[in-house]
Amino acid sequence: MNQRRKFKLLKDVPFLPKGTEYIMYDSTGFVHWITGDGKESEYPLRAGLAGYLWLLCTDKKYMELIESDYE
């Protein structure tokens, strides 16, 4: 089962503006961004940038959990 979580970036960080939303898939490690029209991107972010976002989501000062498939 591919668990997904949706996060919102709370602070500006290099290359990533505050307010951007991301979908993170726990089983694959893929990270997709939410486009301006509210849709999930077709392709995941590159591994380096995705890893940076995975690190940021561990700190509540940087990322806010918006929705989750976990119970």
Side-chain angles (χ1 to χ4, degrees), residues 37-52:
D37 58 357
K39 296 181 182 176
E40 184 175 340
S41 63
E42 186 176 348
Y43 299 101
L45 296 172
R46 291 181 175 222
L49 188 53
Y52 182 51

Side-chain angles (χ1 to χ4, degrees), residues 36-68:
D37 58 357
K39 296 181 182 176
E40 184 175 340
S41 63
E42 186 176 348
Y43 299 101
L45 296 172
R46 291 181 175 222
L49 188 53
Y52 182 51
L53 287 168
W54 278 105
L55 179 63
L56 290 177
C57 81
T58 63
D59 190 338
K60 293 182 182 193
K61 291 182 280 185
Y62 287 96
M63 299 283 265
E64 174 187 8
L65 179 63
I66 297 174
E67 93 185 35
S68 174

Side-chain angles (χ1 to χ4, degrees), residues 5 12 28-29 36 38 41 59:
R5 294 180 289 162
D12 285 325
T28 61
S41 63
D59 190 338

Side-chain angles (χ1 to χ4, degrees), residues 15-42:
F15 307 110
L16 303 170
K18 176 173 77 171
T20 310
E21 295 180 355
Y22 300 94
I23 304 276
M24 300 179 144
Y25 291 93
D26 291 341
S27 62
T28 61
F30 290 157
V31 177
H32 292 257
W33 71 95
I34 303 298
T35 62
D37 58 357
K39 296 181 182 176
E40 184 175 340
S41 63
E42 186 176 348

